[in-house]
Amino acid sequence: MKSIFFHSRWYMMCVLFFGYTQSLAQLSQNQEGSSAQCTQKLKLISDKMMFTQNRQEKPVKVDITIDPLSSTIKTILQEPGQKVPSERMYQIKNMNCTVNDNFTFGRVIYSVASNNPDGSFSSGEFLLEATKRGLFFSNTIDPPQDKAIIPIIKFEKL
């Protein structure tokens, strides 16, 4: 009886240890596997927002700072006539990056949690996509039926 108990405890400890080290290896591999551009702090600037549902363009000053190393995305939007810009901070929970070194092809998907005014957290995904037409930031990775797309006119690596 003592032998069975010892073996079952040993087995459980091995399962826990190997499961923990495998999870740790995956986490560190994701961090280490990220190329420099994926962990690069970026400042994105735009002067408009486009809505795909009705193909409407809206003039708005947009300043987005993405800092993967501190796991934050800060958005500042100022609409015409708005005296004080609206500012939001998002926490990056996960990131999937396939963008090339010079941000001309590929995408970065940021899974985020945001702090809502009522104190709760909501989650979503942002998309930074580089295409032949330029660099675009979007509020979702969903199909383009109802999306807000921000064409980036200037970006800086900070």
Side-chain angles (χ1 to χ4, degrees):
M1 182 76 163
K2 189 175 185 182
S3 173
I4 293 173
F5 178 71
F6 174 76
H7 287 296
S8 65
R9 280 184 54 194
W10 182 81
Y11 176 75
M12 287 299 289
M13 286 176 58
C14 286
V15 168
L16 287 173
F17 177 74
F18 287 120
Y20 173 76
T21 55
Q22 186 177 17
S23 296
L24 188 60
Q26 286 174 344
L27 180 62
S28 64
Q29 189 176 39
N30 286 342
Q31 294 288 335
E32 293 170 10
S34 296
S35 54
Q37 74 275 11
C38 295
T39 57
Q40 180 69 48
K41 184 174 180 179
L42 300 172
K43 183 174 184 172
L44 311 173
I45 298 171
S46 183
D47 59 356
K48 65 182 168 185
M49 189 180 293
M50 300 178 333
F51 300 94
T52 58
Q53 185 175 25
N54 57 8
R55 297 182 185 204
Q56 178 186 2
E57 283 188 19
K58 182 177 188 179
V60 61
K61 290 182 182 178
V62 182
D63 187 342
I64 302 166
T65 304
I66 302 170
D67 189 352
L69 295 179
S70 69
S71 299
T72 58
I73 296 176
K74 179 180 177 181
T75 61
I76 301 172
L77 283 83
Q78 187 168 13
E79 296 184 38
Q82 185 182 16
K83 292 182 182 182
V84 179
S86 61
E87 186 176 315
R88 298 257 337 233
M89 186 70 81
Y90 301 90
Q91 171 119 23
I92 299 171
K93 298 186 304 182
N94 196 10
M95 184 173 72
N96 182 350
C97 178
T98 60
V99 73
N100 65 356
D101 290 341
N102 53 3
F103 286 89
T104 57
F105 181 77
R107 58 194 320 199
V108 186
I109 298 172
Y110 301 98
S111 298
V112 298
S114 65
N115 192 357
N116 293 319
D118 64 0
S120 65
F121 280 88
S122 64
S123 61
E125 293 173 314
F126 289 138
L127 173 64
L128 178 61
E129 188 166 25
T131 69
K132 291 178 182 178
R133 296 178 303 147
L135 192 60
F136 300 91
F137 189 82
S138 179
N139 64 337
T140 180
I141 64 168
D142 292 336
Q145 288 90 314
D146 190 16
K147 236 181 188 179
I149 297 175
I150 300 169
I152 305 304
I153 58 172
K154 180 180 175 186
F155 82 96
E156 302 172 21
K157 296 179 181 181
L158 304 176

